[in-house]
């Protein structure tokens, strides 16, 4: 029996397929949810080590997701495109994301995560919610059916267990049935809960078609699944109505790890649910965001949702019994009871809870890149400023010149600037601001990333960079790709020096400029400008959409090293197709009136 590291899974599978007869492969690994449980209970070492992403260095290529298949890598939308961040409250410290070929990953050793800034929660808040009304609970003349939907590892099953125990405390009847699906986080989980005056009043456990009185949707995609939707009583029907309480947080699925541009179809989720239950019976709240900001851990989300639904009168059990059941459960009692209370408060006055939970705007610049521009002028101005910092004012002027030419041409055709002008403004900049060694160094040392670390961690901690410098890194013998290596905090000083040398960029003294990747990046800038000139000379109202698609192609060119090369190859095929379409467009013929 050979024992191999999981990194060798592919090669082991390939070798076993050559074996004649039966072979056995056993993959042994503790799942992410179980790791978190054991660590919280002190049954498994919890290394004082975390990973953070410098969002401004990140290219949004998704290689980290492919390498790790981890759902704790979350998308974050910024002015400069979709980036990545680590959800620290769900991270199981696997660290395989670091293998993504990208210099944006930094390992933090020591220190602890900062608790959320809830300094504005005090006596004033307690007084404000002192008169929180108690909802009118159902008299249970008929059994009530509650469906809780969510994802594995977040406490969906716990909600059912607590409600069953609370009902028992009050002398009521209750049954639960859990469909756990995948054990790993991200797998769909549903809990069927029936509550009645006495156990004898309950004839079946599973909630059937159009039988749910309320759905507590802790995850929007699971709630919008066909099975969950089938439990809703259609509005206007003879069976009554189903109240749906939906957490609007966009929890990513495994789809995102393989497709970096994948987005949750939010509009269709809302439409499909409201079509059945009716808009008046659909209650939306971003419970994950509020619970994390208030409690410091997204694991509080489901209990927050329970408190929210209870305050709306959907759970026919008294608060005292629920609090006692939480205490009997014995896990994070204080946090769960507090999350239930905050859910109640949000149901009573959502605007006030959002005001309390929203942290003060950062003035240190650490989140400046997340502020999105609202007009074309703002888009251009921000990028002119960025390119001036990147290289020089003359370099930025070169950018503005092309953008304004495109803008003038589009305006002459349509009477206004639109998608084409915005595409050129965004993507000519993206090519011009390619992240070479000087730029990566600048993005680590201009103060914004260090401010991000300060806002995230406290205590005594050290940082380690995970880099593959083209001139220094070794190559993997099997793939030929550069191998990343750990470099200590001393790299900050090296980065500071390197950042100041960016005036060498593109000159004969630029030692990095001789690599194939840098030559390719400079070539792309020139080719883009030439392509846009060609587009402008042939631009008409009937090929504007194709021209915009051409202008947006740099969005597909992401990443570093071999990852960028792979994306570029796909983008060049797309460009060839679009150019053929552009040249094949015949002028539109206007008929006389």
């Amino acid at each position: 029996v050979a024992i191999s590291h999981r990194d060798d899974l592919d090669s082991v599978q390939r070798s076993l397929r050559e074996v004649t007869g039966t072979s056995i492969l056993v993959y042994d690994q503790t799942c992410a949810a179980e790791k978190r449980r054991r660590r919280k209970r002190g049954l498994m070492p919890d290394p004082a080590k975390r990973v953070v992403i410098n969002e401004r260095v990140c290219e949004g290529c998704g290689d980290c997701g492919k390498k790790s298949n981890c759902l704790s890598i979350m998308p974050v939308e910024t002015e400069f495109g979709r980036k990545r961040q680590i959800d620290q409250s769900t991270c199981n410290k696997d660290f395989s994301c670091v293998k993504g070929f990208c210099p944006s990953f930094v390992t933090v050793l020591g220190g602890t995560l900062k608790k959320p800034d809830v300094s504005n929660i005090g006596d004033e808040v307690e007084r404000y919610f002192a008169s929180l009304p108690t909802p009118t609970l159902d008299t249970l003349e008929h059994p009530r059916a509650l469906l809780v939907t969510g994802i594995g590892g977040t406490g969906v099953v716990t909600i059912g267990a607590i409600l069953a125990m609370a009902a028992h405390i009050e002398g009521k009847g209750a049954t639960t049935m859990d469909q756990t699906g995948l054990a790993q986080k991200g797998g769909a989980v549903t809990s069927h809960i029936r509550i009645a005056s006495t156990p004898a009043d309950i004839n079946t456990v599973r909630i059937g078609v159009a039988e749910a009185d309320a759905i507590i949707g802790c995850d929007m995609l699971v709630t919008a699944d066909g099975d969950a939707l089938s439990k809703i009583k259609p509005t206007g029907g003879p069976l009554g109505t189903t109240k749906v309480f939906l957490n609007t947080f966009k929890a990513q699925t495994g789809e995102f790890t393989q497709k970096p541009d994948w987005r949750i179809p939010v509009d269709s989720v809302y439409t499909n649910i409201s079509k059945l239950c009716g808009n008046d019976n659909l209650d939306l709240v971003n419970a994950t965001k509020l619970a994390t900001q208030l409690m410091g851990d997204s694991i509080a989300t489901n209990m927050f949702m329970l408190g929210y639904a209870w305050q709306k009168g959907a759970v026919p059990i008294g608060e005292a019994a629920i609090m006692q059941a939480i205490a009997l459960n014995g896990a994070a009692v204080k946090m769960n009871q507090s999350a239930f209370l905050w859910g109640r408060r949000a149901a009573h006055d959502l605007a006030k809870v959002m005001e309390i939970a929203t942290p003060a705007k950062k003035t240190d610049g650490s989140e400046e890149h997340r502020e999105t521009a609202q007009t074309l002028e703002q888009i251009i101005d921000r990028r002119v400023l960025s390119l001036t910092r990147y290289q020089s004012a003359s370099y930025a002027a070169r950018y503005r010149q092309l953008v304004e030419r495109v803008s003038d041409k589009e305006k002459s055709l349509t009477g206004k600037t639109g998608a084409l002008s915005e595409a050129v403004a965004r993507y000519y900049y993206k090519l011009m601001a390619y992240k070479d060694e000087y730029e990566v160094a600048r993005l680590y040392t201009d103060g914004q990333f260090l401010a991000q670390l300060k806002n995230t961690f406290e205590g005594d901690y050290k940082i380690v960079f995970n880099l593959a410098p083209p001139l220094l890194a070794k190559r993997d013998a099997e793939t030929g790709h550069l191998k990343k290596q750990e470099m200590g905090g001393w790299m900050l000083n090296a980065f500071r020096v390197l950042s100041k040398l960016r005036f060498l960029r593109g000159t004969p003294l630029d030692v990095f400029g001789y690599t194939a990747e840098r030559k390719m990046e400079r070539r792309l800038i020139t080719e883009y400008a030439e392509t846009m000139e060609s587009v402008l000379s042939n631009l008409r109202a009937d090929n504007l959409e194709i021209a915009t698609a051409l202008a947006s192609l740099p969005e597909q060119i992401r990443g570093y090293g071999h990852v960028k090369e792979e994306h570029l190859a796909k983008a060049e095929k797309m460009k060839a197709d679009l150019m053929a379409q552009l040249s094949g467009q015949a002028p539109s013929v206007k008929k006389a009136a």
Side-chain angles (χ1 to χ4, degrees):
V1 176
I3 299 176
S4 303
H5 193 276
R6 66 177 184 187
D7 288 350
D8 302 323
L9 178 62
D10 184 63
S11 60
V12 169
Q13 289 180 127
R14 290 176 183 276
S15 64
L16 287 179
R17 76 183 181 185
E18 303 299 328
V19 175
T20 303
T22 301
S23 58
I24 297 173
L25 172 64
V26 179
Y27 189 102
D28 183 20
Q29 177 179 305
T30 307
C31 81
E34 182 61 20
K35 272 188 177 182
R36 294 199 305 276
R37 289 191 194 101
R38 292 181 186 179
R39 282 171 177 158
K40 287 182 179 178
R41 296 169 185 170
L43 301 175
M44 191 175 190
D46 188 3
K49 178 180 178 181
R50 290 188 177 271
V51 172
V52 295
I53 294 175
N54 185 335
E55 295 169 12
R56 295 162 70 220
V57 174
C58 170
E59 281 276 283
C61 67
D63 193 50
C64 52
K66 290 179 180 178
K67 290 289 195 301
S68 64
N69 201 38
C70 180
L71 297 180
S72 290
I73 301 174
M74 302 288 290
V76 54
E77 308 299 339
T78 77
E79 169 60 18
F80 301 101
R82 176 178 263 201
K83 309 295 185 178
R84 299 293 185 275
Q85 63 180 175
I86 304 292
D87 183 350
Q88 299 294 344
S89 64
T90 64
C91 176
N92 71 328
K93 299 186 177 182
D94 176 84
F95 306 125
S96 55
C97 56
V98 174
K99 296 175 183 176
F101 194 77
C102 172
S104 67
F105 283 82
V106 175
T107 306
V108 179
L109 304 175
T112 57
L113 288 173
K114 270 190 174 181
K115 294 295 182 183
D117 181 13
V118 289
S119 55
N120 54 348
I121 300 178
D123 293 339
E124 184 182 345
V125 171
E126 296 298 325
R127 286 194 298 271
Y128 183 87
F129 288 109
S131 58
L132 189 64
T134 301
T136 302
L137 302 181
D138 191 277
T139 57
L140 290 178
E141 293 180 8
H142 304 285
R144 301 284 288 176
L146 308 179
L147 182 70
V148 182
T149 62
I151 53 179
T154 62
V156 176
V157 173
T158 301
I159 296 296
I162 284 174
L163 288 181
M165 175 56 70
H168 174 72
I169 291 170
E170 290 190 338
K172 296 174 179 175
T175 60
T176 64
M177 185 194 79
D178 304 312
Q179 295 178 320
T180 54
L182 295 173
Q184 71 184 52
K185 62 178 179 177
V189 177
T190 57
S191 186
H192 297 236
I193 306 164
R194 290 188 185 270
I195 303 168
S197 295
T198 66
D201 293 333
I202 301 176
N203 299 317
T204 182
V205 179
R206 185 177 183 275
I207 298 173
V209 173
E211 286 188 351
D213 294 296
I215 295 179
I216 302 176
C218 301
D219 178 79
M220 66 161 67
L221 286 180
V222 180
T223 308
D225 180 70
D227 184 63
L229 289 178
S230 72
K231 315 304 182 193
I232 297 175
K233 302 173 184 178
T235 182
L239 302 175
T241 58
T242 300
K243 294 285 186 181
V244 180
F245 306 96
L246 186 66
N247 177 14
T248 61
F249 179 75
K250 301 171 188 175
Q252 297 301 315
T253 69
E255 189 88 359
F256 177 66
T257 64
Q258 302 302 313
K259 298 178 181 178
D261 291 324
W262 186 82
R263 297 176 188 272
I264 293 175
V266 176
D267 291 340
S268 62
V269 166
Y270 295 162
T271 300
N272 291 341
I273 296 174
S274 62
K275 235 184 234 183
L276 288 170
C277 70
N279 288 327
D280 293 340
N281 295 314
L282 177 59
D283 207 326
L284 307 175
V285 58
N286 193 330
T288 301
K289 181 179 180 180
L290 291 174
T292 304
Q293 289 172 336
L294 291 164
M295 314 300 300
D297 195 330
S298 63
I299 201 67
T301 299
N302 293 359
M303 198 58 68
F304 182 99
M305 285 296 297
L306 177 61
Y308 190 93
W310 186 89
Q311 185 65 29
K312 296 282 187 175
V315 183
I317 302 174
E319 180 189 20
I322 293 176
M323 290 295 104
Q324 187 177 345
I326 292 173
L328 288 172
N329 184 54
V333 174
K334 185 177 179 181
M335 182 187 74
N336 282 315
Q337 290 180 339
S338 181
F340 182 87
L341 175 59
W342 276 111
R344 287 191 59 200
R345 290 170 170 174
H348 174 64
D349 191 340
L350 181 58
K352 183 64 176 178
V353 172
M354 290 174 65
E355 177 190 328
I356 293 168
T358 302
K361 184 177 179 181
K362 301 284 192 305
T363 58
D364 54 17
S366 59
E367 296 182 352
E368 181 182 315
H369 60 288
R370 296 189 187 181
E371 298 173 5
T372 55
Q374 302 301 312
T375 65
L376 178 62
E377 289 71 22
Q378 290 176 354
I379 292 172
I380 296 171
D381 289 344
R382 287 191 68 172
R383 283 157 178 74
V384 166
L385 177 61
S386 179
L387 288 173
T388 301
R389 293 170 177 170
Y390 177 89
Q391 182 71 20
S392 64
S394 60
Y395 192 66
R398 174 180 160 192
Y399 159 81
R400 184 186 285 276
Q401 184 179 16
L402 177 61
V403 175
E404 289 182 348
R405 286 200 64 224
V406 173
S407 176
D408 291 342
K409 180 68 173 181
E410 186 177 25
K411 193 181 295 184
S412 68
L413 274 176
T414 65
K416 60 180 181 179
T417 56
L420 176 60
S421 298
E422 182 173 334
V424 175
R426 291 188 181 281
Y427 298 117
Y428 189 39
Y429 163 83
K430 186 178 187 295
L431 293 178
M432 291 185 72
Y434 62 91
K435 296 187 178 75
D436 58 4
E437 288 76 4
Y438 306 112
E439 179 64 356
V440 169
R442 185 182 75 86
L443 296 176
Y444 269 116
T445 58
D446 66 355
Q448 292 190 36
F449 177 68
L450 295 180
Q452 177 189 337
L453 289 179
K454 186 178 179 181
N455 293 332
T456 309
F457 299 95
E458 59 187 359
D460 185 20
Y461 61 84
K462 298 177 181 178
I463 60 175
V464 175
F465 296 93
N466 300 276
L467 307 170
L471 301 182
L472 301 175
K474 298 178 181 178
R475 291 191 177 272
D476 184 275
E478 186 175 336
T479 64
H481 300 156
L482 294 175
K483 295 172 64 175
K484 294 175 75 174
Q485 60 191 80
E486 293 186 342
M487 297 183 173
W490 57 268
M491 273 301 298
L492 274 176
N493 291 327
F495 278 153
R496 289 188 179 100
V497 173
L498 195 56
S499 175
K500 292 177 180 178
L501 295 176
R502 61 183 179 274
F503 66 89
L504 296 175
R505 181 186 286 122
T507 70
L509 296 178
D510 179 7
V511 293
F512 307 109
Y514 294 101
T515 64
E517 184 174 354
R518 300 294 163 255
K519 289 178 180 178
M520 173 264 289
E521 286 164 337
R522 292 196 300 270
R523 172 176 59 82
L524 289 176
I525 297 172
T526 303
E527 287 182 355
Y528 186 87
E530 291 173 349
T531 300
M532 287 303 103
E533 291 293 346
S534 176
V535 166
L536 289 179
S537 63
N538 295 284
L539 191 64
R540 301 182 305 273
D542 62 347
N543 63 13
L544 196 58
E545 188 175 337
I546 298 173
T548 302
L550 269 169
S552 303
L553 276 179
E555 172 65 18
Q556 309 303 320
I557 307 171
R558 309 171 189 166
Y560 295 82
H562 63 275
V563 175
K564 190 167 193 172
E565 290 173 6
E566 291 169 5
H567 280 88
L568 175 60
K570 295 176 183 177
E572 287 184 335
K573 289 182 180 179
M574 295 169 67
K575 179 182 177 181
D577 292 340
L578 288 169
M579 289 297 289
Q581 292 179 45
L582 189 73
S583 61
Q585 290 286 316
S588 59
V589 179
K590 294 184 179 180
K591 294 182 180 180

